[in-house]
């Protein structure tokens, strides 16, 4: 068992653990004069001492374990951990959570500081099930990023916690939420204040039973009882919408083009299925690649080569991986209307509607439903402040996996009654997207629209700018109304409000969204004016 001790280290679980008596007997023997067994005797003693150290005999185990993902492991270690730590094999730190619990005696304590990812990621769901089902979380300081000034920068988000090696499902542990602190000193002061003042606002109490009420059992200690009830009482989203991940072309430079780079005569914009796409004899088809933070409609920028039902693309994938479906996923859903989001975002979740005719990328995840009213309902639902809060309980990262979206709770509501607002928001967002030459549905420049024409260019721009301001405020009003009806339907009025900041109104004509949040009103207006004049010159050319 200790043959590769230098590789597997204290992850080794000795078969023989109660070695204390045997060790004392052998240590008392003097074999120094017996040449042939002396060296063997020393090796036996070493192995027994190692087995003793690694026996479940400790009252307290304290550790800051090593971090190493599967890609960093040598081949022998990677193979060994698959057999010995199947629930935690994706990272050494998670294996050591499991291992340290084995080192502690019944009712002993394990205290660790680790990355926070085990609390939320689906890859650690089995570990959470073990911890919540066999052990008890006594306390936690959820440090988040910037907890150690000496390391510098964001580096890694961490959590410090104490586990008891026995199971008390209803025990409410104490949890300090310190993720907002921007320095080691800030977090240190917040811990000390919580000790003196339990009503500080960042000390929470939750039990294993509370965590198990949420799909995947994330350690979401800060959410309210009403939020937990929502998860309890709702169906999961995947029962009314099919969440899918799209294709990875394996060579975007070869298979993707910006739409303006290819001939429209060789492009097909509205194929309803694979058969229509094949019989069109076209080469280029709209491609949803995710993209920037934008709600309701937009981010239609790319075409993909799907000539002859994807002949070249599928052939290339097959040559690399043996089977094209290793990377070309969800082929059955291509060309269907859907709502979609960018898997990786620098901001919050933003859902968009895509009509029929599109293929979709691994970064442009989608939800499909045969009912148009269900799609509209899911679009309105997903773009609410409420879903943002619900998602934060499942995964507080900015990676929105299809499985996480699929597990969101949907209450039994008349979904058709919620579908009209999203249609209005799509229409306004599409009008905005198509107002620029960078849209393939562009027809004319807003600045040249007769509705805004005045004697001078300056006056014309001022009238157009007033229209854009009204349009932005109307979008804001509609989004807040959409928030309100869902918050009311879910009974969350006491903890959420419908307000939407101007920088979250994702219209190109809204400078607060287009240019960021850290600029003055004068700077924003100057940038918008400059870009509008640049668009005029471009259009004139």
């Amino acid at each position: 068992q200790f043959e590769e001790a230098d590789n597997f280290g204290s992850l080794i679980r000795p078969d023989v653990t109660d070695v204390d008596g045997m060790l004392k007997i052998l240590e008392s023997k003097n074999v120094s004069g017996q040449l042939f067994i002396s060296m063997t005797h020393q090796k036996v003693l070493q192995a027994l001492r190692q087995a003793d150290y690694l026996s479940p005999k400790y009252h307290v185990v304290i550790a800051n374990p090593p971090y190493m993902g599967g890609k960093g492991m040598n081949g022998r270690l990677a193979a060994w951990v698959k057999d010995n730590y199947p629930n935690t094999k994706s990272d050494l730190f998670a294996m050591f959570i499991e291992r340290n619990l084995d080192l502690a005696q019944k009712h002993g304590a394990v205290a660790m500081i680790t990355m926070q990812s085990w609390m939320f990621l689906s890859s650690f769901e089995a570990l959470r099930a073990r911890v919540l089902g066999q052990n008890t979380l006594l306390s936690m300081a959820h440090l988040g990023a910037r907890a150690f000034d000496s390391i510098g920068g964001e580096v890694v988000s961490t959590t410090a916690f104490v586990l008891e090696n026995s199971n008390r499902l209803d025990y409410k542990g104490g949890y300090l939420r310190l993720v907002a602190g921007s320095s080691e000193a800030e977090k240190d002061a917040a811990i000390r204040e919580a000790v003196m003042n339990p009503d500080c606002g960042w000390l929470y109490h939750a039990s294993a039973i509370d965590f198990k009420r949420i799909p995947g059992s994330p350690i979401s200690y800060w959410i309210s009882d009403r939020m937990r009830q929502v998860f309890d009482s709702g169906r999961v989203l995947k029962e009314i919408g099919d969440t899918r991940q799209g294709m990875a072309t394996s060579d975007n430079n070869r298979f993707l083009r910006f739409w303006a780079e290819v001939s429209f005569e060789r492009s097909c914009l509205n194929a309803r299925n694979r058969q229509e796409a094949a019989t069109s004899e076209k080469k280029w088809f709209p491609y949803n690649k995710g993209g920037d933070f934008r709600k309701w409609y937009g981010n239609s920028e790319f075409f993909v080569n799907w000539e002859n039902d994807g002949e070249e693309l599928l052939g290339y994938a097959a040559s690399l991986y043996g089977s094209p479906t290793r990377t070309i996923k969800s082929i059955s859903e291509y060309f269907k209307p859907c709502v979609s989001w960018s898997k990786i975002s620098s901001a919050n979740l933003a859902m968009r509607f895509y009509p029929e005719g599109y293929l979709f990328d691994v970064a442009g995840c989608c939800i499909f439903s045969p009912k148009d009213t269900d799609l509209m309902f899911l679009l309105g639902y997903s773009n609410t402040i409420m879903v943002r809060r619900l998602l934060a309980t499942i995964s507080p990262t900015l990676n929105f996996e299809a499985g996480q979206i699929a597990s969101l709770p949907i209450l039994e509501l008349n979904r058709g009654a919620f579908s009209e607002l999203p249609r209005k928001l799509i229409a306004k967002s599409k009008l905005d997207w198509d107002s620029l030459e960078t849209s393939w549905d562009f027809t004319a420049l807003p600045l040249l629209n007769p509705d805004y024409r005045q004697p001078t260019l300056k006056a014309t721009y001022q009238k157009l700018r007033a229209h854009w301001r009204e349009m932005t405020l109307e979008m804001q009003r509609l989004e807040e109304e959409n928030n309100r009806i869902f918050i009311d339907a879910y009974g969350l009025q006491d903890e959420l409000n419908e307000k939407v900041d101007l920088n979250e109104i994702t219209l190109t004509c809204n400078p607060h969204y287009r240019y960021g949040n850290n600029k003055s009103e004068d700077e924003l207006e100057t940038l918008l004016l400059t870009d509008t004049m640049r668009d005029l010159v471009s259009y004139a050319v």
Side-chain angles (χ1 to χ4, degrees), residues 495-510:
E495 52 190 288
L496 296 175
N497 69 61
E498 71 273 17
K499 297 301 180 190
V500 181
D501 291 338
L502 267 181
N503 65 316
E504 297 241 330
I505 305 302
T506 57
L507 299 176
T508 313
C509 67
N510 171 21

Side-chain angles (χ1 to χ4, degrees), residues 418 448 501:
F418 290 78
L448 300 181
D501 291 338

Side-chain angles (χ1 to χ4, degrees), residues 153-164:
E154 290 279 329
V155 187
V156 67
S157 292
T158 55
T159 184
F161 54 93
V162 181
L163 292 164
E164 181 183 314

